Amino acid sequence: MTVYITRFAPSPTGNLHIGSARTALINYVFKSQHPNSKLYLRIEDTDKERSTEEYKKNIISSLKWLGIEWENNLQIQSLNINRHLEVAKSLLENKKAYKCICSQDELAERRKKINSGEINTKKICITCENNNKVQSLEIGYVIRIKIPTTGKEILKDLIQGQVEVNNYEIDDFVLVRKDNTPTYMLSVVVDDHDLGVNFIIRGDDHLNNYFRQKFIYQYMKWEIPEYAHIPLIHGEDGSKLSKRHGAVNLIDLKNEGYLPSAIINNLILLGWSPKKQNDEIIELANIISKFEIKTLSKSASIFSYKKLDYFNNHYLRLKTNIKIFEEYCRSNSALEKLLNIDKEKLFKVFNVYKKDISKYIELLDIVEIYFSNNFLKKIDKNFEQDFNYIYEDFLKLIKNINNWEYENINLEIKEFIKKNNIKFPVLGKPVRYLLTNDYNGPSITDIFMILGKTKTLERLKRYNI
Ligand code: GLU
């Protein structure tokens, strides 16, 4: 079996986006499917103006939170700049690149002609390459790669299929800027080659870059990796997934109380599905055994928050994930406070309501009901006569329950209803209102169990007939 060397290469110019998380996930799944294969994480921080340490940390912690693992030696692109420049120099020496001193105005003028079709190649500079004076300069130039103006390039992409581009459509792109810093286009190829990367999975916004980057491989006589350009994620309205649609960064999803397993489940089903439909709930280990990268759809995938909520509700209900709930509470100052006041009660609330919530943050309003003292206020409203008749007896019944267990309370209530010959809602609705200020919600026995006997009685007594 082929040993694959893969990499995930984010630029630390923002927090980890859900689309990038998907690229990382697919890289991780792919490498995990192939024994002895490797996944490197490379922080592409050569754009010094937009890259920050904070974003770098966010990317790393978001990936860790998601459960993605990579080789120990984290790659930092900016540490390899000298090596990138060395390759540029070698391209210059071999006449595969040239120095260019065209001014911005000259380039703009030429670009205008290219765009209007007056010139039918993308060759932006036609003067410098053959100007010996320019080529012997020591400083003050950019280095451009030399792309042939005839012929065409073919990429056999694992997902996009065969893609062809004519060489005249490719520009002599810059390898090294005037300030002697390498561009992304150069650094990415040098680093991938030096790491031994032989399989590149990345967003299809980089598809066009393949046709540029391949020349660096070719000119350096390096082996060109295989490619899988995965489609971008769109929102349900068809536009690129952005904040308008909801939380798009992993850190925001985490703060709202989404679980990594739900995010992974949702992401992997974008453009791919397991053979059996009822395998829709699929966890990482199972994904690794079933996922097939070559069956991934090449059209843009629609990200649905409704679907994510559905998966999240599934995973947050699992008993095995209760630890994740506790961790979440510790990361949220309001819930952490309550955790310290009464952990047992908080967990009871969670267990009663978990079937109805799609993310942990929704609990914030709910816990308020059970921890707030507002409920000591009297209630100045009248319930129906049928309830008023039985109210005092019901209070007595509750007062006399000593075995405060779910089954027992349920039984006592059932018998009370039978004895008084009333329908359950006659009792249930007003009682629920007294306990939670809402006629609808969980069963009153569940509410009794959360509140405990003393608080239950306190709240029930708010009513004056
Ligand atoms: N650093 C690039 C980005 O964040 C990715 C480069 C690549 O995967 O080739 O878009």
Side-chain angles (χ1 to χ4, degrees), residues 179-239:
D179 61 2
N180 205 33
T181 56
T183 58
Y184 150 74
M185 215 63 85
L186 171 64
S187 303
V188 75
V189 173
V190 177
D191 286 351
D192 281 340
H193 168 264
D194 288 359
L195 272 177
V197 170
N198 58 3
F199 198 93
I200 293 181
I201 301 168
R202 62 184 180 185
D204 67 5
D205 49 338
H206 285 289
L207 184 61
N208 283 334
N209 286 337
Y210 163 79
F211 295 94
R212 299 187 173 102
Q213 292 162 3
K214 74 147 284 188
F215 282 100
I216 305 177
Y217 284 102
Q218 195 175 306
Y219 291 160
M220 293 303 294
K221 300 194 169 59
W222 292 340
E223 202 161 318
I224 300 178
E226 277 185 76
Y227 286 83
H229 284 95
I230 61 177
L232 299 185
I233 300 179
H234 287 186
E236 282 179 282
D237 59 0
S239 67

Side-chain angles (χ1 to χ4, degrees), residues 143-399:
I143 302 178
R144 290 186 182 279
I145 195 161
K146 217 187 275 184
I147 304 286
T149 48
T150 56
K152 66 176 175 188
E153 303 307 321
I154 298 172
L155 166 66
K156 288 195 172 114
D157 189 273
L158 205 65
I159 293 166
Q160 307 291 330
Q162 184 159 320
V163 187
E164 297 182 9
V165 169
N166 292 310
N167 288 341
Y168 68 76
E169 294 176 72
I170 306 169
D171 53 338
D172 284 358
F173 59 89
V174 174
L175 297 169
V176 178
R177 299 183 195 92
K178 228 176 214 153
D179 61 2
N180 205 33
T181 56
T183 58
Y184 150 74
M185 215 63 85
L186 171 64
S187 303
V188 75
V189 173
V190 177
D191 286 351
D192 281 340
H193 168 264
D194 288 359
L195 272 177
V197 170
N198 58 3
F199 198 93
I200 293 181
I201 301 168
R202 62 184 180 185
D204 67 5
D205 49 338
H206 285 289
L207 184 61
N208 283 334
N209 286 337
Y210 163 79
F211 295 94
R212 299 187 173 102
Q213 292 162 3
K214 74 147 284 188
F215 282 100
I216 305 177
Y217 284 102
Q218 195 175 306
Y219 291 160
M220 293 303 294
K221 300 194 169 59
W222 292 340
E223 202 161 318
I224 300 178
E226 277 185 76
Y227 286 83
H229 284 95
I230 61 177
L232 299 185
I233 300 179
H234 287 186
E236 282 179 282
D237 59 0
S239 67
K240 214 173 139 202
L241 194 67
S242 72
K243 271 209 179 102
R244 261 180 328 112
H245 299 101
V248 286
N249 292 328
L250 272 262
I251 183 77
D252 298 327
L253 291 170
K254 182 183 180 195
N255 289 342
E256 286 188 13
Y258 285 102
L259 278 73
S261 40
I263 297 173
I264 287 176
N265 200 150
N266 196 47
L267 285 180
I268 206 68
L269 294 184
L270 300 177
W272 175 79
S273 57
K275 289 202 173 86
K276 282 189 238 133
Q277 271 309 306
N278 55 359
D279 285 349
E280 200 182 42
I281 295 287
I282 185 162
E283 291 196 62
L284 195 52
N286 220 355
I287 292 171
I288 291 171
S289 73
K290 295 200 171 121
F291 183 74
E292 275 183 278
I293 192 165
K294 60 177 192 301
T295 62
L296 198 66
S297 158
K298 68 174 175 183
S299 41
S301 311
I302 304 296
F303 186 89
S304 151
Y305 284 92
K306 228 164 116 191
K307 200 85 206 207
L308 177 63
D309 285 353
Y310 163 77
F311 288 126
N312 209 49
N313 174 265
H314 168 83
Y315 288 107
L316 66 75
R317 274 186 288 135
L318 297 183
K319 277 207 178 71
T320 43
N321 283 338
I322 193 73
K323 273 227 141 56
I324 301 183
F325 173 61
E326 189 169 345
E327 277 162 28
Y328 178 78
C329 292
R330 297 214 181 278
S331 72
N332 178 297
S333 57
L335 289 175
E336 191 185 23
K337 220 168 104 194
L338 303 183
L339 193 71
N340 293 336
I341 294 172
D342 192 340
K343 178 174 167 180
E344 200 186 331
K345 183 156 140 188
L346 184 60
F347 275 53
K348 277 184 191 163
V349 176
F350 172 66
N351 280 320
V352 166
Y353 282 87
K354 64 185 180 185
K355 64 179 193 327
D356 304 317
I357 60 169
S358 48
K359 42 193 179 283
Y360 294 139
I361 199 141
E362 290 166 23
L363 275 179
L364 277 183
D365 289 337
I366 297 168
V367 286
E368 182 66 11
I369 302 167
Y370 296 96
F371 281 83
S372 154
N373 285 328
N374 288 341
F375 290 85
L376 298 178
K377 280 195 223 125
K378 289 277 176 230
I379 272 202
D380 53 0
K381 72 188 285 169
N382 281 319
F383 295 124
E384 286 184 19
Q385 265 318 344
D386 288 356
F387 176 71
N388 294 340
Y389 284 137
I390 53 149
Y391 173 63
E392 294 292 345
D393 285 348
F394 185 67
L395 267 187
K396 241 181 255 160
L397 171 89
I398 299 299
K399 241 184 252 171

